Amino acid sequence: MLTIRPREIAAAVMVVLAWAAPAARADDKALSSDDVLERTGKTIDEWGAAWWQWAFVTPGVLGDTTGQFGPKGDVGGPVFFAEGSGGGAVTLEYKAPAGQYILLPVATYIWTFFPPCADPRCATHIINDNFVAHVKDVHAGIDGEPVDDMPKHVVRVSGSNPLIFVVDAGPIDPASGYGGILPAEQGGYWLMLAPLSPGTHKITFGAKIPNLDPNTGDVLPGTTGLQTTLILPVKK
C-alpha cells in the first residue's frame, strides 16, 4: 500500500482475497462488519486505525514497491496487516502466517489533526466528503475470482461519534511545527479476509482516488490510480 506526505498520508489501495472457486467464494472470504467484530474483538474501523498506527512507526511499509517489508505485517495478533500500492501499478510478494485474518487497505486515507484542520468536524469532512465520496472504480479479486460487494466495505467516519486515535508523526519539524503524537481520523475501503488456506494466493486490487491538497485536504483536479498485485504465500 503508499504515497507519503509530511502532513497526511494518502493511501492505500489494496485489495483482496483469493480462491480459485465459484465467484461467490471470493465474497465469502471478505468478512462483514459484524463478522469482523465477532471474530476479532474489534470493529473494522478500529482495525483500520491500528493499521495506520503501525504504518506510521514501521519503517519501509509505506511506499514499499516490492514486498520487502511485507512480513512486518505479522504483528503478533489475530490479524495480519497487508501492504498495498500508493500510486501506479505494483507487484508485492511476501509470506503471511497461516491462521491469521488479513487486513487489506484497499483505498484508505488518514488525516492528522493539524492547522488549518485540527478538529474532528473538519477532519470528518475531509475523510468522508473529500476522499471517500470521490473514490471510484474500486475492485478486488482473489485467485482470479472477483469480490462483487465492494460498496459494503467502505468505512466512513461517524459524524456524531468519530473514532479518533493517535499516531506518532515523527520528530517535530522546526519550520512547520508538524510532528509528535497527533490525533487522527481515517476512512476508506478496508477488507478483512478470513484466514487463507496454505499455499500461494494472488490478490489483486485497485481504485482511482482523488488528489487532495496535503495542507488543507481540499479536492484538487485529477485522480491517482492504484493497482496492486499481491502474491501471498501462506505458510503451512
Side-chain angles (χ1 to χ4, degrees), residues 36-216:
V36 171
L37 179 59
E38 179 180 351
R39 298 189 193 186
T40 70
K42 292 182 180 180
T43 66
I44 190 66
D45 311 51
E46 290 171 326
W47 282 115
W51 187 96
W52 277 113
Q53 290 173 319
W54 163 79
F56 264 74
V57 298
T58 307
V61 301
L62 296 176
D64 191 358
T65 59
T66 65
Q68 175 184 357
F69 303 100
K72 293 183 178 182
D74 186 0
V75 294
V79 175
F80 180 85
F81 292 164
E83 296 179 318
S85 167
V90 297
T91 298
L92 309 174
E93 183 171 359
Y94 50 87
K95 294 181 180 179
Q100 290 187 349
Y101 297 91
I102 300 174
L103 181 64
L104 301 171
V106 179
T108 72
Y109 191 86
I110 187 172
W111 185 267
T112 51
F113 291 17
F114 195 77
C117 178
D119 64 79
R121 180 189 58 80
C122 72
T124 298
H125 167 69
I126 290 171
I127 297 294
N128 290 346
D129 302 327
N130 293 3
F131 182 75
V132 174
H134 293 274
V135 176
K136 300 181 183 301
D137 300 336
V138 183
H139 60 275
I142 307 168
D143 293 340
E145 299 295 343
V147 177
D148 294 323
D149 62 353
M150 292 304 297
K152 296 181 180 179
H153 298 283
V154 64
V155 172
R156 295 181 177 87
V157 180
S158 168
S160 59
N161 187 30
L163 174 61
I164 300 172
F165 55 100
V166 297
V167 295
D168 184 348
I172 296 175
D173 181 75
S176 67
Y178 181 83
I181 306 300
L182 296 175
E185 291 179 3
Q186 65 85 28
Y189 287 82
W190 292 97
L191 280 176
M192 182 74 78
L193 306 187
L196 297 173
S197 62
T200 299
H201 298 271
K202 182 179 180 180
I203 299 170
T204 58
F205 61 87
K208 292 180 180 178
I209 60 172
N211 296 326
L212 302 188
D213 186 289
N215 296 310
T216 66

